[in-house]
Amino acid sequence: MSAEPGLDPESFQREVAENCAPVILRGLGQDWPLVAAARTSRDALFAYLQRFDSGQTAQAFIGPPAIAGRYHYGTGPDGFNFARETLSLSETLRRIAAAGDRPELPSIYMGSLPTDVHLPGFGDENRVAFLPPAIRPRIWIGNASRVACHYDTYDNLALVAAGRRRFTLYPPDAIGDLYVGPIDHNMAGQPVSLAADLTEADPHFPRFEAARPRALHAELEIGDALYIPKLWWHQVEATGPANVLVNYWWDGFSTGPDAPYATMMLAMIAIAERPAAERAAWRAFFDHYVFRPDGHPLAHLPEERHGILGPLRNHYGRIRAMVMQVLRGG
C-alpha cells in the first residue's frame, strides 16, 4: 500500500493507478513551499496562504465543541450537527487559529476550494510532477475534524500539507455493509456511511461487522500523500489543531466526457424497480456488454466484424450519438 514518490506520468499510471487500490506516497510534497511554511509555524503557514488570497468567499462548516469535529447528521434544522457560514479565507484562518488555541470555541472546516479561484498562483508553486498541469488542486483547511466515510466518483490524490491525517478505507464492494445514507441529503455532495465510525457492534447495523475487518488504515504525516481510486470508501480524520490538505480529482481512464456515475443514475431510473426476473435479465446483458467477465462479447468473430463494439476510441462518438438520439426520443 505504499510506493516511492519518484514517479513519472507513465510509471504512476502503470504502477499505481491501474491497480485500482489505495497507495501511500511518502514525502511526495516534501519540497513544496506550502509544506516548508507549515513546518516553520502556523503563522508562517497562514501568511503563505494569504499571499495568494483572491478575496473570494466560500462555505465553511462550523461545529459546536460538543461534536469534537465530527461533522455528520444530527438534530439541527437541516438534519446536520453543524452550521454553515459563508466566510473569506482570512476570516476562516483567523477562526481556525482561535479555535486551535481555545477548544471551547466552535471548530471550523472549509473544504474543496478550487485554488485557481481562491488562491490563484498556488497551484504553480506547489505541483505534483506526475499529474498533467490541467489537473488542478483543491485545498481543505480546518481544525481537528472527522469527515464521514464517503466515496468519490473521481480518482483522488490527497496530500497532507499541514497537521496529520488518518484515513480509514473500505473497498467499493463493501457498500452493502456500510449502511449508506441518502444520495441527495448529505454533508458535501456524496452519500456517507452511517456505520463506519462505530467502535462497537450496533444492532441497527449488523452487516457492518462484515466490513470492519476489511478496513485499511493510512497514517499520513506532513508531506505524505495518498492515492485513492474512485469509489473507494474513506473516512478522513485531521488530528492537528490546524490542518491543510491539498487534493486533486481526475478520471484517469476516461475515453470521453461521459461519467460512469451518470450512467449508473440513468440505469437506476430505467431498471431498479422492474420485476426481479427482468432485472436479472438486464444484469446478464450488462455483464456481457459492459463488465465483460468472459472477455469481449464478439471474440468469436474477426475484429473487422465487431462494428461499434470495436475499439472504443474509434467508435465513442458514434455510440454516444446513438444514445443521445434515444434519449431525445428519436
Side-chain angles (χ1 to χ4, degrees), residues 183-208:
I183 287 178
D184 56 343
H185 181 65
N186 50 68
M187 268 62 76
Q190 296 292 0
V192 304
S193 167
L194 304 181
D197 62 350
L198 295 173
T199 58
E200 298 179 355
D202 187 323
H204 294 98
F205 307 114
R207 287 183 57 181
F208 179 65

Side-chain angles (χ1 to χ4, degrees), residues 59-234:
Q59 189 178 88
F61 292 1
I62 312 298
I67 72 170
R70 178 184 178 269
Y71 299 96
H72 213 280
Y73 292 108
T75 57
D78 59 356
F80 302 114
N81 68 354
F82 57 90
R84 304 173 195 257
E85 291 187 34
T86 300
L87 301 174
S88 67
L89 177 64
S90 294
E91 174 63 11
T92 299
L93 295 176
R94 185 193 70 77
R95 291 168 68 169
I96 290 171
D101 295 333
R102 297 176 56 193
E104 73 274 12
L105 294 177
S107 63
I108 188 166
Y109 172 82
M110 182 178 277
S112 194
L113 300 183
T115 59
D116 287 350
V117 174
H118 295 269
L119 302 168
F122 170 91
D124 298 323
E125 285 196 10
N126 303 271
R127 294 195 59 239
V128 174
F130 58 73
L131 293 181
I135 299 174
R136 305 305 294 168
R138 293 174 177 261
I139 197 165
W140 310 69
I141 307 167
N143 298 118
S145 62
R146 181 168 59 181
V147 175
C149 189
H150 64 285
Y151 63 88
D152 298 313
T153 58
Y154 292 96
D155 302 298
N156 184 5
L157 183 72
L159 190 150
V160 177
R164 294 179 177 85
R165 282 291 203 284
R166 179 185 302 115
F167 287 79
T168 303
L169 304 108
Y170 300 88
D173 64 1
I175 183 170
D177 298 326
L178 293 176
Y179 294 91
V180 179
I183 287 178
D184 56 343
H185 181 65
N186 50 68
M187 268 62 76
Q190 296 292 0
V192 304
S193 167
L194 304 181
D197 62 350
L198 295 173
T199 58
E200 298 179 355
D202 187 323
H204 294 98
F205 307 114
R207 287 183 57 181
F208 179 65
E209 296 311 304
R212 192 189 299 277
R214 304 182 68 193
L216 301 178
H217 303 280
E219 300 277 350
L220 271 60
E221 303 288 335
I222 183 171
D224 294 341
L226 178 65
Y227 170 69
I228 309 172
K230 60 177 72 68
L231 302 185
W232 270 78
W233 295 87
H234 50 287

Side-chain angles (χ1 to χ4, degrees), residues 3 7-23 25 130-131 155-157 227-230 232 250-253:
L7 297 166
D8 57 38
E10 292 75 22
S11 60
F12 173 78
Q13 193 78 353
R14 181 181 63 255
E15 298 173 18
V16 177
E18 288 185 4
N19 294 320
C20 297
V23 174
L25 300 164
F130 58 73
L131 293 181
D155 302 298
N156 184 5
L157 183 72
Y227 170 69
I228 309 172
K230 60 177 72 68
W232 270 78
W250 75 102
D251 185 350
F253 304 100

Side-chain angles (χ1 to χ4, degrees), residues 241-303:
N243 305 274
V244 177
L245 181 135
V246 176
N247 94 299
Y248 301 81
W249 277 317
W250 75 102
D251 185 350
F253 304 100
S254 174
T255 310
D258 301 292
Y261 190 79
T263 303
M264 187 191 75
M265 296 291 283
L266 182 59
M268 184 172 66
I269 62 174
I271 298 173
E273 295 191 358
R274 291 177 182 268
E278 185 176 340
R279 294 200 307 273
W282 281 114
R283 183 184 300 115
F285 272 63
F286 269 65
D287 279 344
H288 185 70
Y289 285 107
V290 179
F291 300 109
R292 303 182 178 184
D294 300 318
H296 195 281
L298 291 180
H300 52 284
L301 294 176
E303 289 188 8

